[in-house]
Amino acid sequence: MLFPKERSLPVSVRSGLQLIPSMYSEMHYFRDLETIIDEVHGLFEGWESNHDPKSKFSLETLNVAKLAVHEWLANILQHADFKDRVPELGLHISPCGERLYCVIQDNSEGFDVDGYYDKHHKITVVLPDRGMGLLLLRSCTEELKYERQEGRQQLMFYVTASEDSYLEIPFS
Amino acid sequence: MSFKIEPFDTETAVVTIGKTLDFRNADDFKSSCQQLVESGKHNFILDFSDTGILDSTGLGSIFSLYRKVSPLNGQVVFAAISRPVQVVVQLTRTYKVFRQFPSVDAAMQALQ
């Protein structure tokens, strides 16, 4: 068991009730790969509708965080190997000035993220169908780090909405 | 599959994307649009008014559609772009490829 038992499942999974958006700074845990994307989107929708205009971070930044988290979860759901383990994933998001700090944990075998980025610096195919996810993730995040801690894989990054950040895609 | 396709005229279809266009339904989107292209549609208005997520695979499926209709002098345009979709459009600079309109009606008028 990688994650604490008492917080091992989100409210909606434990009780069947609608997911209640929680405060930032706590870790949210998920085990059902079929529903995790919709549950995470539900969390973000709650945070978005409860966004305080006085917050230092913007709604755009929150949406960049949602996209970055989604891209990584999509990568896990499509490519991760959990062996015979019950999948366990955790998501933590907290404000850090104008930025949001995100941590995504899982108990899969993990990926060679650094190796991927060493081989794939940019998109070379014109208007590609696939293969943009991890490059888009890197483009919209800062201080992206991937490591193994206490038997779990952990992706950490900051996001902020910036017009200077973009993924270069060949259009012709 | 959260999207809904409605023909507008003989050449144009309006695709209401719905909540998501992502790795889960991108293949359905591609094959549905492919059938429309084969039936003579080559202009596509994508309505993003209710879209909470457009991910890289979803965007790739739109690129695929664009590659099919471009040689036919067709167009793919974006209408009523939601905030999450706007984030993707900005991060990928795809406003250089896909014209944007504030509403489906405005897009229809522009394509007539």
Side-chain angles (χ1 to χ4, degrees):
Chain A
M1 176 65 69
L2 294 176
F3 304 127
K5 270 184 182 172
E6 68 274 14
R7 295 169 58 197
S8 60
L9 291 172
V11 172
S12 62
V13 175
R14 285 203 305 271
S15 64
L17 299 173
Q18 188 179 359
L19 192 68
I20 301 166
S22 307
M23 296 294 289
Y24 294 105
S25 302
E26 74 176 80
M27 185 69 85
H28 301 270
Y29 297 99
F30 308 89
R31 281 190 186 159
D32 189 340
L33 298 183
E34 293 291 319
T35 59
I36 182 172
I37 292 278
D38 291 332
E39 295 208 43
V40 168
H41 288 186
L43 279 177
F44 274 98
E45 281 169 19
W47 290 331
E48 189 169 349
S49 59
N50 291 319
H51 179 257
D52 183 350
K54 293 176 192 160
S55 297
K56 287 186 177 172
F57 67 89
S58 65
L59 277 173
E60 279 69 26
T61 294
L62 193 54
N63 275 291
V64 175
K66 180 167 79 170
L67 177 65
V69 169
H70 176 100
E71 290 292 349
W72 184 246
L73 292 180
N75 185 60
I76 290 175
L77 293 181
Q78 293 175 102
H79 305 297
D81 181 1
F82 288 92
K83 296 291 183 191
D84 56 354
R85 294 182 289 274
V86 174
E88 295 178 329
L89 293 95
L91 169 65
H92 161 94
I93 295 187
S94 55
C96 187
E98 293 179 351
R99 303 194 296 176
L100 286 171
Y101 178 60
C102 306
V103 179
I104 307 167
Q105 298 175 344
D106 70 82
N107 64 338
S108 73
E109 292 292 293
F111 304 96
D112 180 11
V113 174
D114 291 338
Y116 180 89
Y117 284 134
D118 284 344
K119 286 181 190 163
H120 302 86
H121 300 282
K122 62 179 184 177
I123 295 173
T124 53
V125 177
V126 174
L127 295 166
D129 281 16
R130 301 190 80 90
M132 294 185 284
L134 292 184
L135 293 173
L136 181 60
L137 173 66
R138 188 173 63 179
S139 298
C140 70
T141 59
E142 300 165 1
E143 300 175 48
L144 183 75
K145 216 159 60 168
Y146 184 68
E147 60 187 30
R148 191 172 185 90
Q149 275 194 353
E150 298 168 12
R152 72 187 74 162
Q153 317 294 338
Q154 188 158 276
L155 186 79
M156 297 154 286
F157 54 82
Y158 291 88
V159 294
T160 182
S162 165
E163 291 186 2
D164 297 332
S165 305
Y166 69 98
L167 174 64
E168 196 165 341
I169 299 170
F171 293 137
S172 58
Chain B
M1 185 172 88
S2 72
F3 57 88
K4 193 175 75 184
I5 299 175
E6 294 173 57
F8 171 60
D9 59 27
T10 53
E11 298 178 346
T12 305
V14 178
V15 185
T16 305
I17 297 298
K19 284 281 177 197
T20 60
L21 179 55
D22 65 9
F23 69 99
R24 295 171 295 175
N25 61 353
D27 285 342
D28 287 340
F29 175 85
K30 275 166 74 171
S31 56
S32 298
C33 289
Q34 172 68 32
Q35 287 175 19
L36 285 167
V37 172
E38 287 168 1
S39 72
K41 301 278 187 291
H42 54 259
N43 290 326
F44 288 80
I45 299 168
L46 307 186
D47 176 2
F48 288 109
S49 55
D50 194 31
T51 306
I53 194 79
L54 169 65
D55 74 0
S56 59
T57 312
L59 184 64
S61 68
I62 298 173
F63 287 164
S64 172
L65 173 62
Y66 176 81
R67 290 198 310 269
K68 287 185 177 72
V69 300
S70 286
L72 308 171
N73 293 320
Q75 294 187 59
V76 179
V77 302
F78 288 8
I81 297 175
S82 62
R83 194 190 299 264
V85 174
Q86 189 63 43
V87 162
V88 178
V89 168
Q90 288 297 323
L91 278 169
T92 55
R93 301 290 196 259
T94 40
Y95 50 78
K96 294 178 179 177
V97 181
F98 305 116
R99 294 163 69 199
Q100 299 177 45
F101 296 93
S103 66
V104 171
D105 285 345
M108 285 174 170
Q109 284 180 13
L111 291 181
Q112 276 181 331

